[in-house]
Amino acid sequence: MSCSQRNSRRCRWPVSERSSRNACVMRRSRMKLKSAVRRVAVTALAASLLLVAGCSPPEDDASSKITLSIGIGDDGPPTMVKNFNPFGTDNRHGTFYMYEPLFVVNTINSEKTPFLAESFEVADDAKSVTFTLRDGVTWTDGEDFDAEDVVFTFNMLKEYPALDRGSLWSSIESVTGEDKTVTVEFTGPNAPAVSRVGETLIVPEHVWSEVDDPVTFINEEPVSTGPYELGAFSPNQYSLVKNEDYWQADSVVADELVFPSTVSELDIVNKGYDWAYSFLPDPKSTWVGKAPETNRFWWPPGAPTALFLNNAKPPFDNVDFRKGLSLSLDREDISEKANQGWGSVASQSGLILPSQKDLLDPAIPDKGLISQNSDKALEAFERAGFDMSDGKLVGEDGAQVEISMMVPNNYANQVQAAKVIKKQLAQVGISLRVETPQAAAVQQSLTNGDFEMTFNWLGGTTMYDVYRGVLDSRLTAPIGEAASGNTIRYQDPETDALLDSLKAAVDEDTRTELIHQLEQVMMNEVPVIPIYHGGTWGLYSTKKVTGWPSAENPYAPGTPYNTTALLVVTNLERAG
């Protein structure tokens, strides 16, 4: 489609009516001018704030303007790249406050909240889903949002598989749309895919169709539909300012959000952020104690934190070695020391218990909770070809088993957990070397298979997504190549068939039975070792705004680094 064709489509006047087309062009020019003027104004305002505030949270003032500081550390240190590509691996967290999906899924209860789609309907055979898009939505440059933007976004992911990080197109046959309706046809029955489709961030066709390579595009001047647009940017800090033309602007009370590049735990405690995300030792004293009247926290159980084992590398390619490793660990001790009483031991089934207890296979003993048993661990190691000799676990060559574990150096609880694991493995004669690079380096090694053992989360919107993410052979890749999923490189055709059956199942009883069978795979094959439930470490201040998610109102998990942040910023209310 040419530029002139796109412009004609957007303006909705017949191409043959010259006067109307001219009016269209003038209207579009006025919108762009208005947008540009507004952007210059807000950028100047934000720049002045950054100049004054430096890298510290902005001071509260007595004016009506609300500026919130987000203390998460936006992938420094020490400086940031101006990257707001929604599909990039090194984008800024602010991307998720500017771009919107069709709906947002609350990972606490799986509830879907409409955003760019007002509603959706899944076909009875689960082979398609049809979205009805919202009226009155515009991009921040003034152009109208419609179905062609959605169709373009999905087709771009198809054309550039590197952007399709969730492997959506392994399930999609086609995406078609017109005006305010979009239909996604799946390659077969696929009810779980509806959530992944609905959570995809949508980009404007009239901007991204002009991009030469959207994979390397860093999108320094984002055009979006969401509640915020980019204000000022420096390598150390940037700001987002409220999109006054946002379709639900009345639901957004914060005028500005400020994101620093680096935030330490000490910063969070001492600098008084409005919304932060970090595990803190004894948060009642360290966080609430700093400002008892306004500082709050809510840490609901999250996805299990698990030991990801590289199933393609010896000795982790031996299931008996993996079982021995699992039996060597005291999860209660690891969880207690890593999370200082705020975590709970995770089931080998991969379920979050007790919230998902209805999905647990009753045939699984002790709810899948594995206790430390050194004698049974050594029996498993012996079956794998390893024996104890002078206090060391040795292989056939007589050499001690030595393995490495990578942990991000700024994940304090994981670093602590690794130290405990090192001591416990030493008791069965294994030498563990703990490496603590930057988080980005750990993620890169995980993706490319250049690791032996590390921590990661068993995350996903549905249990199909959770199991697919670690068990589906078709998502993995040889060591040295980037895997779109299944980074542990587990491969089993029978498990793939189970996943296919679960994807196609519409009946709830059938789905539950298939989930039970996948739980048995986790129990018997031990491809990963769940240790404890990860927390969602949300820290809030009610000094300027209220309405943060809580146990009483769990409308979002309180994570400021993904699309659920949209739920939060549209639910806050001015304090007082």
Side-chain angles (χ1 to χ4, degrees), residues 6-15 17 20 24 27 137 143-149 179-180:
R6 283 194 300 278
N7 291 340
S8 296
R9 173 177 67 79
R10 298 285 173 183
C11 293
R12 314 207 188 290
W13 277 285
V15 175
E17 297 178 20
S20 296
C24 165
R27 170 176 168 267
V137 178
E143 293 272 359
D144 293 332
F145 158 78
D146 64 19
E148 292 195 31
D149 293 310
D179 193 22
K180 297 298 178 184

Side-chain angles (χ1 to χ4, degrees), residues 218-378:
I218 61 172
N219 195 26
E220 293 183 286
E221 298 180 2
V223 175
S224 55
T225 60
Y228 290 93
E229 53 188 312
L230 185 60
F233 187 95
S234 78
N236 297 313
Q237 184 165 287
Y238 66 93
S239 68
L240 304 182
V241 293
K242 182 178 177 179
N243 174 8
E244 298 294 344
D245 295 327
Y246 183 44
W247 59 270
Q248 55 172 338
D250 291 345
S251 300
V252 180
V253 299
D255 301 282
E256 189 170 36
L257 309 177
V258 176
F259 296 78
S261 64
T262 58
V263 176
S264 67
E265 292 177 1
L266 194 60
D267 288 339
I268 289 173
V269 172
N270 291 330
K271 293 186 176 180
Y273 289 94
D274 297 292
W275 185 7
Y277 188 86
S278 177
F279 174 79
L280 293 177
D282 191 8
K284 291 181 180 178
S285 297
T286 53
W287 175 250
V288 177
K290 192 71 176 180
E293 298 298 321
T294 56
N295 280 5
R296 301 288 182 267
F297 70 96
W298 180 49
W299 290 357
T305 297
L307 282 176
F308 273 39
L309 315 174
N310 193 331
N311 284 234
K313 282 187 174 182
F316 305 102
D317 58 350
N318 186 311
V319 63
D320 284 317
F321 184 86
R322 299 196 296 267
K323 289 181 177 178
L325 207 60
S326 173
L327 289 163
S328 302
L329 301 174
D330 182 346
R331 293 160 177 77
E332 289 277 2
D333 187 36
I334 298 169
S335 178
E336 176 64 28
K337 289 177 178 168
N339 300 311
Q340 302 184 28
W342 291 100
S344 57
V345 172
S347 165
Q348 181 62 37
S349 67
L351 298 175
I352 301 175
L353 298 177
S355 62
Q356 294 181 314
K357 63 180 184 302
D358 293 342
L359 292 176
L360 181 64
D361 183 353
I364 293 178
D366 299 326
K367 303 177 183 178
L369 301 176
I370 307 298
S371 298
Q372 184 185 41
N373 189 321
S374 297
D375 291 339
K376 289 187 176 180
L378 291 174

Side-chain angles (χ1 to χ4, degrees), residues 71-290:
I72 183 172
D74 205 345
D75 290 344
T79 59
M80 298 178 289
V81 175
K82 191 179 183 182
N83 184 345
F84 295 97
N85 183 335
F87 313 106
T89 56
D90 187 33
N91 55 17
R92 305 279 69 76
H93 297 316
T95 306
F96 300 102
Y97 299 72
M98 295 189 284
Y99 288 92
E100 296 179 288
L102 298 172
F103 57 67
V104 175
V105 179
N106 177 5
T107 52
I108 296 293
N109 56 19
S110 299
E111 183 175 313
K112 299 177 178 67
T113 299
F115 269 77
L116 290 178
E118 287 184 330
S119 62
F120 67 94
E121 183 173 357
V122 181
D124 291 341
D125 59 4
K127 290 183 178 179
S128 67
V129 57
T130 298
F131 296 91
T132 300
L133 305 184
R134 188 176 300 282
D135 282 323
V137 178
T138 59
W139 297 98
T140 48
D141 63 357
E143 293 272 359
D144 293 332
F145 158 78
D146 64 19
E148 292 195 31
D149 293 310
V150 180
V151 174
F152 170 82
T153 298
F154 282 100
N155 285 335
M156 182 180 69
L157 299 184
K158 180 182 181 182
E159 183 177 357
Y160 297 94
L163 302 178
D164 186 13
R165 295 166 62 188
S167 298
L168 281 171
W169 276 95
S170 64
S171 307
I172 294 176
E173 180 69 31
S174 66
V175 180
T176 57
E178 184 175 5
D179 193 22
K180 297 298 178 184
T181 301
V182 171
T183 298
V184 178
E185 299 279 351
F186 299 121
T187 53
N190 197 338
V194 173
S195 292
R196 290 187 287 123
V197 168
E199 289 186 296
T200 300
L201 297 177
I202 305 301
V203 297
E205 178 196 14
H206 65 282
V207 175
W208 285 69
S209 62
E210 305 295 335
V211 174
D212 290 335
D213 183 357
V215 177
T216 58
F217 181 49
I218 61 172
N219 195 26
E220 293 183 286
E221 298 180 2
V223 175
S224 55
T225 60
Y228 290 93
E229 53 188 312
L230 185 60
F233 187 95
S234 78
N236 297 313
Q237 184 165 287
Y238 66 93
S239 68
L240 304 182
V241 293
K242 182 178 177 179
N243 174 8
E244 298 294 344
D245 295 327
Y246 183 44
W247 59 270
Q248 55 172 338
D250 291 345
S251 300
V252 180
V253 299
D255 301 282
E256 189 170 36
L257 309 177
V258 176
F259 296 78
S261 64
T262 58
V263 176
S264 67
E265 292 177 1
L266 194 60
D267 288 339
I268 289 173
V269 172
N270 291 330
K271 293 186 176 180
Y273 289 94
D274 297 292
W275 185 7
Y277 188 86
S278 177
F279 174 79
L280 293 177
D282 191 8
K284 291 181 180 178
S285 297
T286 53
W287 175 250
V288 177
K290 192 71 176 180

